[in-house]
Amino acid sequence: MAEVEVWRGGVATWECDQMGHLNVGFYVAKSMQALAGLAAELGMPGAFAATAEATLLVREQHIRFLREARPGSPVHITGGVLDMDETEARLMLLMHHQSGELAASFQTVVAHATARDGRAFPWPDRMRARAEALATTVPERAAPRSIGLSPVETQASVARADALGLRRTGLGVIGPEDCDAFGRMRTEGFMHRLSDGIPHFFAGRRPGQAEGAGRVGGAALEYRLVHHAWPRAGDRIELRSGSAGGDARFRRLVHWLLDPDTGRPWGSAEAIAVSFDLETRKIITLSDDELARVEADAVPGLGL
């Protein structure tokens, strides 16, 4: 069976950032709208309602950003099931432009879990049958390119961030408005905070600003986000970020969302990012001198 449409909408101006395209946090927010639609197709139409007994808890996402979505763009998302084990499933969500060209892809790992305490439990037979009917594959263009999907045993902690000298790029507290119907931080909240932290990470000088481009911006091409725990209203969060190296065109960035009170991780993320000329919308290739400057800040072995 081909993917089924699970969401349709557009790109609002207020959802776009200073680069002139849809902010990464709103990509994830739209994917969560689509996840609710796919849950309904699987037989869980009320999976994210306050009265739900069972829900889909996002464990991780692999995202490819494939073509810019600009203000006013009409987009829609289709979905299907890649794999399902006893309590978890890997789902495929594909965001399309009106032309049919892919704007982004989301491989989303979810657990079939109790709504209140997030305890995973087996899928019912009726949902397994629906999953078979919704079976799909990963399009070649949406497959992982520079970020692997092997299981993660995270190294993230406040103590480790201090030891590595990772820069603080965010600090705050989760408010009620940040939480879903079950009191957990909404999935897109992690990505929103990563986006907010990027200007602090580059400290006013993005790679490529020395290359003579008029206005230099940045964009993410690929992301993997892993959720280790789920903060609730009143929980504090601290974001630490570092460079894991790269080449003249691409940078590998790592972000840890941490609990500053316990030192434990809420989540970790890896991204492939580029600098680009905001006028030509072309990726900037760094000179040898500029590459040496940014490579001097790389942290060897830094990962999720």
Side-chain angles (χ1 to χ4, degrees):
M1 174 178 176
E3 292 88 2
V4 62
E5 184 174 287
V6 290
W7 179 85
R8 180 173 287 262
V11 177
T13 301
W14 62 269
E15 295 175 321
C16 297
D17 55 28
Q18 65 271 32
M19 312 305 165
H21 53 214
L22 185 64
N23 180 270
V24 289
F26 288 104
Y27 273 99
V28 176
K30 294 179 191 303
S31 80
M32 290 303 294
Q33 289 275 323
L35 180 61
L38 186 53
E41 294 290 340
L42 284 166
M44 296 178 68
F48 298 96
T51 55
E53 295 296 327
T55 190
L56 299 182
L57 187 65
V58 175
R59 300 286 197 197
E60 65 174 89
Q61 285 186 311
H62 172 268
I63 307 170
R64 289 280 306 275
F65 300 100
L66 299 166
R67 186 182 177 191
E68 287 184 291
R70 307 290 293 277
S73 298
V75 289
H76 66 279
I77 299 177
T78 59
V81 178
L82 296 172
D83 185 52
M84 180 177 280
D85 63 17
E86 184 179 6
T87 61
E88 295 190 357
R90 183 176 291 272
L91 309 176
M92 185 82 256
L93 297 168
L94 299 171
M95 179 184 286
H96 307 263
H97 284 288
Q98 190 172 38
S99 65
E101 187 174 2
L102 285 181
S105 65
F106 309 82
Q107 282 196 49
T108 302
V109 177
V110 299
H112 181 240
T114 54
R116 297 295 175 270
D117 58 12
R119 177 179 51 82
F121 68 104
W123 300 97
D125 290 342
R126 61 180 177 79
M127 292 187 68
R128 290 186 176 279
R130 285 298 300 154
E132 290 182 8
L134 292 166
T136 190
T137 58
V138 180
E140 183 178 354
R141 189 152 187 252
R145 182 174 180 178
S146 302
I147 296 178
L149 298 183
S150 58
V152 171
E153 188 170 333
T154 187
Q155 57 179 279
S157 71
V158 170
R160 184 65 175 153
D162 287 341
L164 294 174
L166 299 188
R167 186 172 302 166
R168 175 187 284 165
T169 52
L171 184 67
V173 66
I174 300 300
E177 70 280 5
D178 301 316
C179 298
D180 62 17
F182 315 119
R184 291 184 284 268
M185 183 182 75
R186 294 196 304 273
T187 302
E188 60 267 28
F190 186 8
M191 185 67 101
H192 277 305
R193 282 162 176 79
L194 298 185
S195 177
D196 287 347
I198 288 296
H200 293 285
F201 179 72
F202 289 121
R205 183 179 175 183
R206 285 184 178 273
Q209 286 185 324
E211 309 303 339
R215 292 191 303 130
V216 176
L221 302 185
E222 189 172 1
Y223 248 107
R224 186 183 182 188
L225 301 98
V226 180
H227 298 268
H228 306 299
W230 290 265
R232 294 176 176 270
D235 285 329
R236 296 176 68 222
I237 55 171
E238 179 177 1
L239 186 65
R240 297 289 194 98
S241 303
S243 169
D247 59 24
R249 286 166 62 85
F250 307 106
R251 311 303 307 155
R252 186 179 301 273
L253 306 180
V254 172
H255 308 277
W256 294 346
L257 190 68
L258 305 169
D259 182 339
D261 298 314
T262 67
R264 294 193 295 266
W266 297 118
S268 53
E270 183 177 2
I272 302 298
V274 298
S275 293
F276 72 108
D277 188 313
L278 289 172
E279 296 173 2
T280 66
R281 315 304 285 188
K282 301 290 187 182
I283 294 175
I284 294 171
T285 300
L286 304 184
S287 66
D288 291 343
D289 287 346
E290 181 74 344
L291 179 59
R293 181 187 73 82
V294 296
E295 281 293 289
D297 292 329
V299 179
L302 181 61
L304 292 167

